[in-house]
């Protein structure tokens, strides 16, 4: 009798433990799902915050570059145009002086003519710097050619430009996209000269399925591409913003002393 | 009945593969390797104990539970990373070991009986740590992710299996006996599958890094 009881007790014990194990594992599962859901929501929120931060940064950069541009334009206007026009204005006042000799009159008008011509030239140059007319009139290819020509005539660097992209593909790009790409190239060249001390730069455009691939390469100093400080430079993040705006995909390959390479792929109509 | 010799061979092969990278890898890997080698040895000795010495493997089952608890506690102590979780782990470790040692000191005869309580108490915390590790790494690549899954899966299912085995033994239901043993072998193969995959990941990633 006692033996049976003992056995029954053992069975009961085993059942009890099975139940206990069941309940505790169920609990673990429930808790896991409960906390996981919370955490997943939190991760989503963090992701969104990072996105917002990024957008803020881009906005900030845009404003900063805008301010810098304004400063530069203001300086150009002040140095190259206002100062000249000032002297022109002085000279015209001189014309009012009574009893001027013919010779003096001639000198003054000559001065005015020369200064206005200079002011005109300068204003054209400033306008040109702001938006190269070639780009607007003849498109990206011509714009890049002019840019390359200007760089090559400075003699400090040799720029090679190869364009194997179909003409229609380039022409189908909107004026905005063309300008973005042009600005990206300007910044890249600036960086290659300023930071990379590059001697040779290659730029190439080619078709890539139904997209266009821009390859940019310099033989300069390069930098450590893992360094986040570098990537957050205004120039580089401007490039990144422009790439986002034209819906492109870009990649940078660079290592210290192994040059700098930039690749951009974007779609055309 | 499935042949458990192949299981031992698989396990030994796995241990060998893990052992090859023993000195190159970090603490977690070392502890894990010691764990699987230990489990292999204990299992092997346990299953042959009767044939060799006519002893039932009751004693070895205690040893297995404690060994597993200690090693896997170490294992998860290197993986868990929040203060609270580690605190839980250390406190559980000390309290549980003290409790069990006191229990056996007070009544040494218990050491020669199966103990459901002991195997429940030693596996449940490990299941919780494994779940914590899973939770900590939601949405990212966890270190030892697949090893963790394998452990979680095996501990989860084998706990029930062990309890069922006890019940079946008590009820003398011999026809279920074999089924349970076979299921256990299958479960172990699945576990080893996870461990093999984990090893592949570790090697692949370390090549990636170089
Ligand atoms: N072609 C390059 N060669 C070497 N370093 C470069 C090159 N382009 C960019 N860099 C590095 O990246 C940094 C960030 O560039 P950028 O964002 O254009 O800022 P900025 O030109 O105003 O310094 C530079 O300071 C430079 O260290
Ligand atoms: Mg720059």
């Amino acid at each position: 009798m006692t033996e049976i009881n003992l056995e029954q007790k053992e069975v009961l014990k085993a059942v009890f433990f099975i139940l206990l194990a069941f309940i505790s594992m169920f609990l673990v599962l429930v808790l896991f799902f409960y906390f996981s859901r919370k955490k997943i929501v939190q991760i989503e929120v963090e992701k969104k915050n990072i996105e917002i931060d990024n957008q803020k940064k881009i906005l900030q950069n845009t404003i900063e570059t805008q301010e810098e541009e304004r400063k530069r334009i203001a300086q150009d206007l002040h140095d190259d145009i206002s100062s000249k026009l000032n002297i022109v204005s002085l000279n015209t006042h001189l014309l009012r002086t009574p009893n001027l000799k013919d010779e003096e009159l001639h000198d003054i008008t000559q001065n005015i003519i020369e200064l206005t011509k200079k002011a005109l030239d300068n204003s054209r140059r400033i306008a040109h710097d702001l938006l190269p007319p070639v780009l607007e009139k003849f498109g990206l290819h011509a714009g890049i050619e002019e840019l390359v020509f200007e760089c090559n005539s400075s003699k400090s660097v040799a720029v090679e430009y190869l364009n194997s992209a179909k003409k229609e593909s380039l022409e189908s790009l909107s004026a905005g996209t063309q300008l973005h790409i042009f600005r990206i190239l300007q910044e890249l060249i600036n960086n290659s000269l300023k930071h990379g001390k590059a001697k040779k730069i290659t730029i190439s455009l080619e078709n890539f399925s139904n997209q266009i691939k821009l390859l940019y390469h310099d033989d300069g100093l390069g930098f450590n591409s893992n360094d986040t400080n570098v990537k957050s430079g205004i120039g580089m993040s401007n490039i990144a913003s422009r790439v986002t705006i034209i819906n492109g995909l870009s990649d940078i390959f660079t290592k210290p002393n192994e040059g700098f390479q930039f690749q951009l792929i974007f779609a055309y109509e | 009945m499935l042949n458990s010799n192949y299981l031992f061979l698989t396990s030994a092969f796995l241990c060998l593969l893990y052992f090859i990278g023993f000195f190159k890898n970090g603490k977690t890997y070392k502890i894990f390797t010691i764990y699987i080698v230990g489990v292999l040895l204990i299992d092997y000795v346990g299953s042959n104990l009767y044939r060799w010495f006519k002893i039932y493997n009751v004693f070895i089952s205690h040893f297995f539970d404690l060994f597993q608890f200690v090693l896997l506690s170490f294992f998860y102590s290197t993986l868990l990373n929040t203060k609270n979780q580690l605190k839980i782990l250390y406190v559980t470790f000390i309290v549980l070991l003290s409790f069990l040692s006191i229990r056996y000191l007070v009544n040494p005869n218990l050491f020669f009986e199966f103990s459901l309580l002991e195997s429940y108490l030693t596996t449940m915390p490990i299941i919780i740590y494994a779940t914590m590790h899973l939770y900590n790494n939601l949405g990212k690549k966890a270190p030892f992710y697949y090893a963790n899954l394998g452990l979680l899966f095996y501990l989860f299912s084998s706990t029930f299996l062990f309890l069922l085995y006890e019940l079946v033994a008590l009820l003398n239901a011999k026809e279920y006996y074999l089924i349970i043993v076979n299921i256990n072998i299958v479960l172990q193969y699945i576990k080893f599958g996870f461990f093999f995959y984990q090893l592949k990941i570790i090697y692949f990633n370390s090549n990636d890094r170089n």
Side-chain angles (χ1 to χ4, degrees):
Chain A
M1 197 58 198
T2 44
E3 212 165 85
I4 291 169
N5 268 338
L6 201 73
E7 216 167 76
Q8 277 175 345
K9 234 174 152 182
E10 287 294 315
V11 171
L12 263 176
K13 199 166 134 194
V15 171
F16 168 77
F17 271 106
I18 290 177
L19 214 68
L20 187 65
F22 221 76
I23 291 170
S24 28
M25 286 183 193
F26 183 73
L27 243 151
V28 169
L29 264 181
V30 168
L31 285 177
F32 175 72
F33 282 116
Y34 173 74
F35 283 113
S36 298
R37 255 198 61 181
K38 254 185 152 174
K39 190 164 175 177
I40 286 168
V41 170
Q42 199 189 328
I43 289 173
E44 286 297 309
V45 169
E46 268 165 25
K47 256 192 211 157
K48 279 269 160 350
N49 279 340
I50 289 174
E51 241 171 61
I52 291 171
D53 274 357
N54 257 339
Q55 274 165 356
K56 268 190 197 157
K57 235 192 197 160
I58 289 176
L59 193 68
Q60 171 117 18
N61 277 337
T62 319
I63 292 171
E64 266 173 43
T65 27
Q66 208 177 31
E67 284 304 321
E68 258 174 36
E69 280 290 296
R70 280 185 181 162
K71 226 158 88 189
R72 221 203 71 220
I73 298 166
Q75 210 162 14
D76 279 359
L77 287 176
H78 176 268
D79 295 351
D80 298 339
I81 296 183
S82 304
S83 57
K84 306 256 171 345
L85 290 180
N86 252 335
I87 307 179
V88 171
S89 146
L90 270 179
N91 277 305
T92 32
H93 279 295
L94 276 183
L95 284 179
R96 282 205 190 139
T97 329
N99 309 323
L100 277 177
K101 280 182 220 148
D102 264 5
E103 204 180 310
E104 284 171 326
L105 203 67
H106 177 80
D107 276 357
I108 293 171
T109 40
Q110 190 59 37
N111 243 344
I112 293 175
I113 291 170
E114 263 168 31
L115 284 168
T116 36
K117 192 168 165 285
K118 267 190 190 152
L120 255 176
D121 279 352
N122 283 339
S123 71
R124 191 176 300 133
R125 186 183 54 74
I126 291 169
H128 179 279
D129 278 356
L130 285 177
L131 183 66
V134 188
L135 188 64
E136 217 176 1
K137 277 190 204 139
F138 303 106
L140 185 61
H141 177 65
I144 298 178
E145 271 189 332
E146 198 195 43
L147 184 67
V148 169
F149 176 77
E150 277 168 12
C151 289
N152 277 331
S153 53
S154 78
K155 296 271 188 288
S156 67
V157 65
V159 187
E160 196 182 346
Y161 170 51
L162 302 162
N163 178 9
S164 65
K166 276 178 279 173
K167 223 174 162 219
E168 317 86 76
S169 68
L170 286 179
E171 277 166 2
S172 73
L173 297 172
S174 71
T177 306
Q178 298 193 17
L179 185 60
H180 283 307
I181 292 161
F182 185 79
R183 293 285 186 231
I184 290 174
L185 280 173
Q186 272 183 321
E187 175 62 26
L188 288 173
I189 292 175
N190 271 341
N191 281 351
S192 293
L193 297 179
K194 194 165 114 192
H195 306 297
K197 313 267 177 279
K199 289 274 160 260
K200 191 166 162 32
I201 295 172
T202 356
I203 302 168
S204 76
L205 282 176
E206 59 188 80
N207 286 116
F208 177 71
S209 54
N210 59 342
Q211 304 173 86
I212 297 175
K213 185 153 119 183
L214 165 76
L215 269 178
Y216 177 94
H217 180 267
D218 78 30
D219 65 346
L221 300 174
F223 56 91
N224 182 358
S225 51
N226 291 328
D227 191 345
T228 41
N229 286 337
V230 172
K231 279 190 189 140
S232 53
I234 287 188
M236 296 309 266
S237 56
N238 263 333
I239 291 180
S241 319
R242 290 186 193 276
V243 170
T244 326
I245 293 171
I246 62 173
N247 273 328
L249 277 177
S250 70
D251 247 321
I252 290 172
F253 312 95
T254 177
K255 275 184 191 166
N257 294 319
E258 286 183 26
F260 169 90
Q261 189 179 333
F262 176 87
Q263 174 185 314
L264 168 66
I265 295 174
F266 52 96
Y268 60 89
E269 299 309 309
Chain B
M1 182 176 160
L2 293 169
N3 192 333
S4 60
N5 282 335
Y6 291 124
L7 191 69
F8 283 127
L9 274 180
T10 314
S11 173
F13 183 58
L14 180 78
C15 290
L16 189 74
L17 286 186
Y18 267 89
F19 191 74
I20 289 171
F22 188 80
F23 296 103
K24 280 191 301 189
N25 283 284
K27 205 166 142 197
T28 316
Y29 182 97
K30 289 196 172 84
I31 296 173
F32 189 73
T33 309
I34 295 173
Y35 166 70
I36 55 173
V37 172
V39 168
L40 169 68
L41 292 180
I42 295 172
D43 261 354
Y44 192 69
V45 170
S47 71
N48 287 299
L49 215 53
Y50 183 71
R51 199 146 50 85
W52 295 340
F53 309 112
K54 303 274 173 267
I55 310 174
Y56 286 109
N57 62 1
V58 178
F59 171 77
I60 217 97
S61 86
H62 294 290
F63 195 71
F64 180 86
D65 282 342
L66 292 176
F67 174 80
Q68 171 162 281
F69 175 69
V70 170
L71 262 287
L72 289 184
S73 289
F74 285 151
F75 177 69
Y76 283 107
S77 77
T78 67
L79 286 177
L80 297 182
N81 46 22
T82 74
K83 249 187 194 162
N84 282 338
Q85 290 175 349
L86 284 174
K87 213 187 278 169
I88 292 175
L89 187 143
Y90 292 136
V91 170
T92 310
F93 188 78
I94 292 167
V95 169
L96 196 59
L97 284 191
S98 332
F99 169 73
L100 291 176
S101 15
I102 291 172
R103 192 163 170 261
Y104 292 124
L105 281 178
V106 169
N107 190 354
N109 285 338
L110 284 177
F111 216 73
F112 300 95
E113 291 173 19
F114 267 122
S115 171
L116 294 177
L117 180 69
E118 180 194 85
S119 66
Y120 173 77
L121 286 181
T122 49
T123 37
M124 209 52 219
I126 304 297
I127 288 178
I128 291 173
Y129 306 151
T131 317
M132 283 176 176
H133 182 52
L134 216 57
Y135 166 77
N136 288 344
N137 294 287
L138 275 179
K140 30 180 171 156
K141 269 191 204 158
F144 284 85
Y145 181 77
Y146 292 99
N148 184 52
L149 280 189
L151 281 174
L152 191 57
F153 163 79
Y154 184 72
L155 292 177
F156 225 98
S157 42
S158 72
T159 304
F160 283 114
L161 213 62
F162 175 70
L163 292 171
L164 271 180
Y165 183 86
E166 270 304 293
L167 197 64
V168 166
L170 286 168
L171 294 174
N172 232 339
K174 288 219 174 63
E175 63 274 28
Y176 288 106
Y177 222 75
L178 275 183
I179 298 179
I180 289 179
V181 172
N182 282 337
I183 291 179
N184 184 43
I185 290 178
V186 172
L187 291 181
Q188 295 219 43
Y189 274 122
I190 296 175
K191 176 180 78 172
F192 289 144
F194 277 107
F195 292 176
F196 275 117
Y197 193 68
Q198 178 67 62
L199 194 67
K200 188 202 148 230
I201 299 267
I202 289 174
Y203 273 86
F204 182 75
N205 282 355
S206 68
N207 286 341
D208 214 11
R209 247 181 277 130
N210 291 338

